[in-house]
Amino acid sequence: MAVSGFTLGTCILLLHISYVANYPNGKVTQSCHGMIPEHGHTPQAVPVHDVSVSQMTFRPGDRIEVTLSGQPFKGFLLEARNAEDLNGPPVGSFTLIDSEVSQLLTCEDIQGSAVSHTSKSKKTEIKVYWNAPSSAPNHTQFLATVVAKYKIYWVKIPGPIISQPNAFPFTTPKATIGPLPTLYPVSHLTKPFSASDCGNKKFCIRSPLNCDPEKEAACVFLSFTRDDQSVMVEMSGPNKGYLSFALSHDQWMGDDDAYLCIREDQTVYIQPSHLTGRSHPVMDSRDSLEDMAWRLADGVMQCSFRRNITLPGVKNRFDLNTSYYIFLADGAADDGRIYKHSQQPLITYEKYDVTDSPKNIGGSHSVLLLKVHGALMFVAWMTTASIGVLVARFFKPVWSRAFFLGVAAWFQVHRMLMFTTTALTCIAFVMPFIYRGGWSRHAGYHPYLGCIVMTLAVLQPLLAAFRPPLHDPRRQMFNWTHWSMGTAARIIAVAAMFLGMDLPGLNLPDSQKTYAMIGFVAWHVGTEIVLEVHAYRLSRKAEMLDDDRIQILQSFTAAEAEGHVFKKAVLAIYICGNVIFLIVFLSAINHL
């Protein structure tokens, strides 16, 4: 079952953002109250879209047509609110006119109280019906949030105010000047970060270990430098789109304090965020960060910022004077939108306090349990099972003598190897569940195939325990059943390993994993073909001997002895090849 997406895997930043624009299916109930897509950009000031209604007065129970129109847009959120309390809950419910482009949402536990898009396709007009409730306020106003692009959106575009017939005329509250958007001062770095103080003044994490961010563009670098009651953070890596790190209480994604440096055109935005479960990161306010700076040069992206060690009253920010696992990841970004990290995030081997004594550490892109899982499965199905099958298929006449308890040697070897295969499979099978804490929904077909392999691996020895005697009429049925189940298990196991190697949890190097697996399969199939051809030639040679009984016996005995030597030589070469493939695979895992 090589590694599932139990991983962290997947870990820290499954980086699609949880905003209106980044939910092409329009399931944006988390934005119901504030109607704000948290894109980390400032909303547009002047609306270019209009909300209109079919009538300006209403009675409870009336149905009013509402139209949102304007320049092409991708996403929207439409609600009705009490005009005298626009921060209150939604009022009434909506009925769809065209379910292909719009859908109902349940906001504040009121079913159908908001309308959103169903896809990211461009649209210029949306029509729905608003149903006035029996408890409707005297004055109701429609509000709309519209997203044209990821960084171009309008929040709470005011629509018309409709009133009940006997209500007093609505008086617009005296206009107040709202606070201007916060402008965060950002400076430009003038030179690459230095790793010379790592372990002396800086707490550093590097991938590869001990790489130099001043000389190596591929070096992913993260450092923490304590300065009294604050910490200066530096992050550097390939200019793919974004860099990120997170502080976590465990080695699994969820409830983490994360920070991102996101490239947009020729600018870098520094953005704090937090993670809740295996979900998209939620962007937070930058108010907790100071001295932000960045640099784009020579294919490298750098960013730095300062934050206080403790931030009392600031939600989702961890105190830095506590030990955490540290995640380090990078990935692609487009127009400020971040995508899933390009490889499994680097995770430190243990928890660290970045304000403690400076250290120079590394980490792993795959956790130990998943490494052991992949290694045991490879040993089980690429080594012990394969050798056991060859022994049973071709070495019955070679090792036919009784060895222990009156049982032929070939059978003893075969049974030992297959029991070892079952034991290794059982041990490896439970490891991803221990690590993940349950079933993984992000590993594709790999865990399903693994469960089938596990079932067959357990059934095979149970079936063998009820093997009929040699001349029993049921023996042939047993032989075919045993062969069929064993062959199916081997084929499915190989398929599961091919799929498992592509999962992010193990993170095997692309240049080695596929070639090693294809090479081994070809090696095993080639060995079986050689032994099959040899067995066929040996049988043909015996058939062509003279009719003289003595001549036949003497010639056949000589041919048989020659065949035994050949088979042993082939098996020895096969085992040596297996050991080489095993070393290649285990070394690839060990270097992650």
Side-chain angles (χ1 to χ4, degrees):
M1 246 169 75
V3 179
S4 338
F6 311 135
T7 2
L8 311 156
T10 47
C11 207
I12 157 183
L13 303 167
L14 285 171
L15 295 171
H16 296 287
I17 301 178
S18 58
Y19 321 132
V20 172
N22 220 17
Y23 277 92
N25 60 8
K27 304 293 186 180
V28 292
T29 52
Q30 77 287 343
S31 297
C32 283
H33 180 71
M35 301 184 70
I36 300 174
E38 300 175 346
H39 291 198
H41 297 278
T42 303
Q44 302 297 306
V46 181
V48 294
H49 301 86
D50 297 313
V51 181
S52 58
V53 294
S54 56
Q55 60 190 66
M56 298 302 295
T57 59
F58 73 94
R59 298 179 184 274
D62 282 356
R63 172 177 287 189
I64 298 174
E65 185 178 272
V66 184
T67 303
L68 171 63
S69 60
Q71 296 179 5
F73 56 94
K74 295 182 178 180
F76 71 94
L77 180 63
L78 177 65
E79 297 182 20
R81 301 277 181 95
N82 184 342
E84 298 176 353
D85 182 16
L86 293 179
N87 292 321
V91 173
S93 63
F94 290 90
T95 299
L96 301 180
I97 294 178
D98 186 354
S99 59
E100 294 292 323
V101 296
S102 59
Q103 65 180 322
L104 300 178
L105 300 180
T106 299
C107 296
E108 305 285 343
D109 296 325
I110 304 173
Q111 189 172 2
S113 56
V115 186
S116 71
H117 53 285
T118 57
S119 71
K120 62 180 180 181
S121 61
K122 291 185 178 181
K123 41 199 128 330
T124 57
E125 184 179 80
I126 297 292
K127 290 181 178 289
V128 293
Y129 290 117
W130 178 71
N131 307 304
S134 58
S135 58
N138 287 331
H139 308 282
T140 298
Q141 184 171 20
F142 295 94
L143 302 174
T145 289
V146 178
V147 176
K149 293 183 178 180
Y150 178 79
K151 61 181 180 180
I152 302 177
Y153 56 89
W154 296 261
V155 174
K156 287 187 175 180
I157 299 172
I161 298 174
I162 58 175
S163 305
Q164 297 200 43
N166 299 324
F168 289 104
F170 179 74
T171 303
T172 304
K174 184 178 179 180
T176 57
I177 300 176
L180 294 175
T182 303
L183 298 178
Y184 301 96
V186 178
S187 60
H188 293 275
L189 299 167
T190 57
K191 60 181 181 179
F193 296 136
S194 173
S196 59
D197 289 331
C198 289
N200 297 319
K201 297 180 181 180
K202 295 180 178 180
F203 186 104
C204 297
I205 304 169
R206 289 184 272 180
S207 177
L209 184 64
N210 295 326
C211 64
D212 189 347
E214 292 184 276
K215 300 177 181 179
E216 302 174 50
C219 179
V220 180
F221 173 82
L222 174 65
S223 73
F224 302 86
T225 306
R226 180 166 183 170
D227 182 12
D228 193 21
Q229 296 304 308
S230 66
V231 171
M232 190 68 186
V233 179
E234 297 175 335
M235 188 158 47
S236 173
N239 183 12
K240 298 178 181 178
Y242 73 87
L243 298 170
S244 62
F245 77 92
L247 307 174
S248 179
H249 295 289
D250 52 37
Q251 291 185 309
W252 193 250
M253 178 181 174
D255 300 322
D256 304 327
D257 181 6
Y259 301 84
L260 301 95
C261 297
I262 308 169
R263 185 197 69 206
E264 182 179 347
D265 297 327
Q266 295 303 310
T267 303
V268 175
Y269 292 93
I270 301 172
Q271 185 70 58
S273 65
H274 68 277
L275 305 169
T276 56
R278 283 182 64 92
S279 60
H280 313 297
V282 179
M283 299 303 175
D284 298 323
S285 169
R286 302 178 198 170
D287 292 342
S288 59
L289 307 185
E290 302 173 351
D291 299 338
M292 291 182 287
W294 59 271
R295 180 174 181 261
L296 291 173
D298 303 321
V300 175
M301 178 166 61
Q302 300 170 254
C303 62
S304 64
F305 62 88
R306 182 185 304 276
R307 60 149 284 189
N308 290 338
I309 294 176
T310 60
L311 294 168
V314 179
K315 192 176 180 181
N316 303 318
R317 301 282 75 81
F318 292 176
D319 292 341
L320 297 182
N321 54 359
T322 304
S323 295
Y324 306 100
Y325 289 104
I326 302 172
F327 292 67
L328 188 57
D330 63 343
D334 180 28
D335 195 27
R337 179 182 302 178
I338 51 180
Y339 296 91
K340 183 179 178 180
H341 39 72
S342 54
Q343 64 174 337
Q344 188 72 6
L346 182 83
I347 304 173
T348 56
Y349 295 108
E350 56 186 272
K351 291 182 178 181
Y352 291 97
D353 179 352
V354 298
T355 64
D356 202 355
S357 58
K359 292 181 177 63
N360 186 29
I361 65 171
S364 174
H365 289 280
S366 180
V367 295
L368 180 61
L369 277 176
L370 299 181
K371 290 181 179 180
V372 175
H373 165 80
L376 292 181
M377 285 298 191
F378 192 91
V379 171
W381 293 99
M382 294 304 197
T383 305
T384 58
S386 299
I387 297 173
V389 167
L390 292 181
V391 168
R393 176 70 181 87
F394 300 104
F395 284 80
K396 290 179 183 179
V398 180
W399 295 326
S400 58
R401 292 183 181 180
F403 178 65
F404 181 68
L405 296 178
V407 180
W410 75 265
F411 184 75
Q412 297 279 18
V413 174
H414 171 74
R415 182 167 57 184
M416 179 190 68
L417 290 173
M418 303 319 287
F419 270 123
T420 301
T421 299
T422 299
L424 293 177
T425 302
C426 291
I427 295 171
F429 181 79
V430 301
M431 288 183 173
F433 291 94
I434 293 174
Y435 169 70
R436 176 65 180 89
W439 184 264
S440 174
R441 300 174 182 173
H442 306 277
Y445 293 107
H446 174 74
Y448 297 98
L449 295 181
C451 288
I452 296 173
V453 171
M454 177 66 189
T455 302
L456 293 175
V458 173
L459 287 178
Q460 277 290 75
L462 294 177
L463 178 65
F466 297 95
R467 182 180 60 167
L470 182 61
H471 300 292
D472 191 289
R474 297 171 297 172
R475 182 60 177 262
Q476 187 173 9
M477 180 181 295
F478 165 83
N479 289 342
W480 277 105
T481 303
H482 189 62
W483 177 86
S484 299
M485 291 177 60
T487 302
R490 292 169 61 209
I491 294 173
I492 297 172
V494 171
M497 281 188 279
F498 267 107
L499 294 176
M501 289 191 305
D502 287 330
L503 293 174
L506 197 57
N507 198 42
L508 283 171
D510 290 334
S511 60
Q512 296 182 22
K513 62 182 181 182
T514 303
Y515 295 131
M517 279 295 294
I518 293 176
F520 175 79
V521 172
W523 176 253
H524 179 80
V525 172
T527 301
E528 287 209 34
I529 291 175
V530 168
L531 289 174
E532 286 285 0
V533 170
H534 175 263
Y536 175 76
R537 288 171 60 91
L538 187 62
S539 64
R540 290 289 297 165
K541 186 175 183 179
E543 291 175 2
M544 294 173 62
L545 295 176
D546 298 332
D547 292 334
D548 186 348
R549 179 178 295 273
I550 297 177
Q551 175 75 23
I552 294 174
L553 290 175
Q554 290 176 342
S555 300
F556 185 75
T557 301
E560 188 177 34
E562 179 185 341
H564 291 180
V565 172
F566 179 82
K567 288 181 179 179
K568 291 176 181 178
V570 171
L571 183 62
I573 296 172
Y574 176 75
I575 293 175
C576 289
N578 266 35
V579 171
I580 294 173
F581 281 114
L582 187 61
I583 291 173
V584 170
F585 182 80
L586 295 182
S587 63
I589 292 180
N590 188 51
H591 282 84
L592 298 179

